[in-house]
Amino acid sequence: MKKVALAGIIVSLGLLGACSQGNSDISSNKGMKGMDHSSMNMEGMDHTNMNHETITELKSSLGENELTYPYVLKPDQMNYNTISYTIRAQQGTSEIFDGIKTKTYGYNGDFLGPVIRVQKGMNVTIHLVNDLQEDTTFHWHGLEIPGNEDGGPHKVLKPGETETIHFTVQQDAATLWFHPHPMHETGKQVFKGLAGLLYIDDKNSEMLNIPKTYGVDDLPIILQDKTFTDDKQLVYDKVMNEDGTSGDTLLINGVVDPKLTVDRKKVRLRILNGSNMRSYTLHFNNDMEFQQIASDGGFLNEPNTTKEIEVAPGERAEVIVDLTKVNGNEVSLVNEDNKTILPIHLKGTVNNSKTTETVYQLNSVNATDEMKNKKVTKTIKLAGMMNNVTINNKKFDPNRIDFIQKQNETEVWEIENVKDAMGGMNHPFHIHGTQFQVVSVDGKEPPANLSGLKDTISLKPGQTAKIAVKFTHKGIYMYHCHILEHEDNGMMGQIKVE
Ligand code: C2O
Ligand code: CU
Ligand code: CU
């Protein structure tokens, strides 16, 4: 049997590392010294002296439930280049645990949301309906869309309200997502289940010889960690942590203790980290290589062959895993501490005819020299922890515009995660309405996994990145830390594109 254990759980290395730097009481703890994550032993750590909360330890998937996939939403109407959908935020109950009803939120259903699938070039209309008993917004994470349609905290729909938005898809194939963004409530609403996928297809994605049959060899993998109460409810107030809410229970696509049973061939995993704060560094328990083919904003130029991949909150990574390379019938996707994320069971014997060939060229996105040599014109300093988090020493003010940029003009932003006396923690920095290119990280060429289009970049304490940012539409957009509690605590600013 082959088990693919997605080792995703070890996430918050940066935070743990930060603790060791910031608190001399624990610097004697050998496991943490030197921030060598690979040797860190979470069980052995002494948390008692830390002056901020650490991350909840994640339990391994017991592999009891077959993974399911969100359904692909049927359009209300479609002709050759126009398409319309209705998206309804609603509350309901789901049977996440056998025989138990958990109160949840979802889009067009009880928990999570469907996949919306659109083609590049299409004119899209979406009817938004708030059937919740609280305010919400509908934000399109990664989509290049006019500020007014982007669903930031200004675009609140009250209970019972509806709105219709229109946009034309102008960007390349990518795995994007949507989630709520109401001020101070994003963390709670995502935790309760509001999150869905938005796939963009284009000629390139349809031509490439890669797995692309949804639910068969092209599989969404939405990673989220949650803590349930003893009676298996999701009570945000009970588990909320100002520094980011982590959970002990992993859900993939809303399934607890997931397993994947699949043909022995190449599969494509479209990983979305939809967790409130946890990062995952994933590898396979047999240490096999796999290929990352896409990041947040679409395909990398060429596949990035690797043995592990980090996915921070808000980020996506698409990988191709060649399951014909597995000895036996099981392999598991695991995280840094070798906790099982997803056991994979392989059906049948090797059938190479079912396996697609290796693709060498996927895309042609380039950071030009002009871009690389541009002066930095916007500086972002991310700082703090708990509810002291700030950007450029400020908390979010809905009435303050922090930056202005011209439509279609590229500017280089410098993003710094400021290390403070406490050490600090990782902050995944996200900008709405754009896909940016990473010019450098700490003055060096970005690594392969950051070489494509990105909308979120996770920085460790002390790290600085330069990114080339262009907005193709006008309007007001948010930028913020994608640790949802940091965002809710005001680690957010706004830019006006005109
Ligand atoms: Cu995914 Cu402002 O968010
Ligand atoms: Cu966003
Ligand atoms: Cu943060």
Side-chain angles (χ1 to χ4, degrees):
M1 296 264 288
K2 299 173 178 181
K3 218 182 208 184
V4 170
L6 280 172
I9 305 181
I10 295 196
V11 185
S12 42
L13 302 171
L15 175 56
L16 294 166
C19 294
S20 69
Q21 294 170 346
N23 188 324
S24 54
D25 289 333
I26 48 171
S27 62
S28 60
N29 186 323
K30 289 194 185 95
M32 297 188 66
K33 250 193 180 158
M35 295 183 72
D36 178 2
H37 306 149
S38 55
S39 67
M40 234 159 51
N41 172 353
M42 297 186 68
E43 275 95 336
M45 280 179 4
D46 175 8
H47 290 191
T48 50
N49 287 327
M50 290 188 184
N51 37 16
H52 62 89
E53 296 281 325
T54 52
I55 293 175
T56 310
E57 197 176 330
L58 195 61
K59 297 182 281 196
S60 274
S61 168
L62 300 176
E64 285 171 349
N65 303 304
E66 189 62 34
L67 192 59
T68 59
Y69 309 105
Y71 68 96
V72 177
L73 186 62
K74 230 174 108 254
D76 299 341
Q77 274 178 28
M78 176 162 82
N79 60 46
Y80 114 95
N81 73 342
T82 68
I83 194 162
S84 69
Y85 293 99
T86 301
I87 292 285
R88 198 176 284 275
Q90 56 191 75
Q91 58 186 47
T93 58
S94 335
E95 199 178 319
I96 299 170
F97 298 91
D98 278 346
I100 298 171
K101 285 186 171 160
T102 302
K103 288 186 191 148
T104 49
Y105 290 175
Y107 292 115
N108 300 26
D110 290 321
F111 193 37
L112 294 177
V115 181
I116 301 176
R117 225 166 162 161
V118 295
Q119 289 271 337
K120 184 178 181 183
M122 270 188 168
N123 298 310
V124 183
T125 298
I126 305 183
H127 306 291
L128 309 172
V129 184
N130 180 7
D131 270 345
L132 298 171
Q133 284 165 14
E134 62 195 275
D135 293 0
T136 195
T137 80
F138 297 76
H139 169 57
W140 311 96
H141 181 127
L143 191 66
E144 294 176 15
I145 182 173
N148 200 34
E149 328 268 313
D150 173 63
H154 299 295
K155 296 293 286 187
V156 168
L157 292 194
K158 298 207 165 306
E161 281 186 345
T162 64
E163 197 200 341
T164 298
I165 60 167
H166 303 278
F167 57 90
T168 302
V169 181
Q170 291 171 342
Q171 70 203 90
D172 291 346
T175 302
L176 312 180
W177 64 301
F178 58 101
H179 63 77
H181 222 295
M183 201 54 225
H184 307 307
E185 301 291 334
T186 301
K188 175 190 146 194
Q189 291 189 2
V190 173
F191 180 82
K192 294 281 280 182
L194 289 176
L197 288 163
L198 171 63
Y199 286 5
I200 296 176
D201 302 305
D202 65 8
K203 292 213 175 76
N204 183 34
S205 66
E206 279 156 16
M207 294 267 302
L208 285 173
N209 188 15
I210 54 176
K212 50 174 94 96
T213 309
Y214 183 83
V216 176
D217 60 10
D218 180 358
L219 311 174
I221 300 286
I222 305 172
L223 300 174
Q224 296 180 307
D225 59 325
K226 300 183 195 289
T227 299
F228 291 84
T229 55
D230 291 342
D231 56 347
K232 303 294 186 206
Q233 297 302 313
L234 291 168
V235 185
Y236 184 68
D237 291 343
K238 282 209 175 145
V239 297
M240 196 276 264
N241 181 330
E242 298 281 359
D243 235 356
T245 303
S246 54
D248 62 0
T249 305
L250 175 80
L251 294 92
I252 300 184
N253 304 340
V255 176
V256 289
D257 287 322
K259 69 168 179 224
L260 170 63
T261 307
V262 70
D263 282 337
R264 185 188 296 269
K265 57 179 185 177
K266 281 188 185 168
V267 295
R268 171 181 180 186
L269 307 179
R270 301 199 196 207
I271 301 164
L272 159 65
N273 184 349
S275 306
N276 282 45
M277 76 82 65
R278 188 185 292 274
S279 281
Y280 302 83
T281 298
L282 304 170
H283 67 276
F284 288 93
N285 64 338
N286 64 355
D287 222 23
M288 68 179 180
E289 290 183 333
F290 55 92
Q291 296 188 308
Q292 183 188 4
I293 57 165
S295 58
D296 301 336
F299 292 109
L300 304 177
N301 287 351
E302 51 211 44
N304 168 31
T305 300
T306 181
K307 286 186 176 179
E308 69 167 33
I309 190 165
E310 181 181 356
V311 195
E315 285 187 315
R316 285 84 63 213
E318 292 185 39
V319 302
I320 292 183
V321 185
D322 186 353
L323 296 171
T324 66
K325 297 267 159 67
V326 173
N327 293 319
N329 296 322
E330 290 191 8
V331 65
S332 290
L333 187 61
V334 296
N335 74 356
E336 302 107 279
D337 59 359
N338 291 315
K339 292 288 168 58
T340 303
I341 300 292
L342 182 66
I344 301 178
H345 301 270
L346 301 180
K347 295 191 280 193
T349 48
V350 181
N351 181 348
N352 282 310
S353 65
K354 284 189 188 162
T355 289
T356 52
E357 285 153 41
T358 304
V359 175
Y360 298 99
Q361 173 84 35
L362 297 159
N363 206 350
S364 50
V365 178
N366 266 311
T368 61
D369 284 343
E370 195 214 331
M371 202 181 270
K372 289 179 192 161
N373 295 331
K374 272 201 169 187
K375 282 212 323 272
V376 171
T377 41
K378 291 186 167 50
T379 304
I380 301 272
K381 290 189 186 296
L382 307 168
M385 291 192 298
M386 306 295 285
N387 49 16
N388 298 319
V389 285
T390 55
I391 295 182
N392 294 339
N393 287 317
K394 286 177 263 185
K395 291 247 177 224
F396 180 68
D397 177 348
N399 299 314
R400 182 187 71 230
I401 297 294
D402 299 276
F403 287 120
I404 291 178
Q405 186 160 327
K406 286 222 173 70
Q407 183 186 18
N408 287 324
E409 221 162 77
T410 301
E411 286 195 43
V412 172
W413 298 26
E414 185 177 83
I415 323 295
E416 181 187 356
N417 182 351
V418 181
K419 202 185 229 172
D420 57 28
M422 283 275 298
M425 61 188 285
N426 284 8
H427 297 289
F429 179 74
H430 167 57
I431 313 178
H432 286 203
T434 181
Q435 289 293 336
F436 54 78
Q437 283 182 264
V438 181
V439 175
S440 66
V441 178
D442 287 338
K444 296 193 209 86
E445 286 264 317
N449 63 312
L450 299 181
S451 62
L453 294 173
K454 295 283 298 165
D455 55 52
T456 306
I457 180 168
S458 181
L459 295 175
K460 298 186 175 72
Q463 269 191 329
T464 300
K466 285 187 193 172
I467 62 174
V469 184
K470 179 169 96 173
F471 294 89
T472 53
H473 295 277
K474 291 183 183 173
I476 292 170
Y477 298 96
M478 305 299 128
Y479 53 84
H480 59 88
C481 175
H482 219 286
I483 290 176
L484 299 181
E485 289 73 20
H486 285 181
E487 174 203 321
D488 283 337
N489 279 329
M491 195 174 198
M492 179 157 74
Q494 43 190 354
I495 180 163
K496 185 174 184 196
V497 180
E498 51 184 34

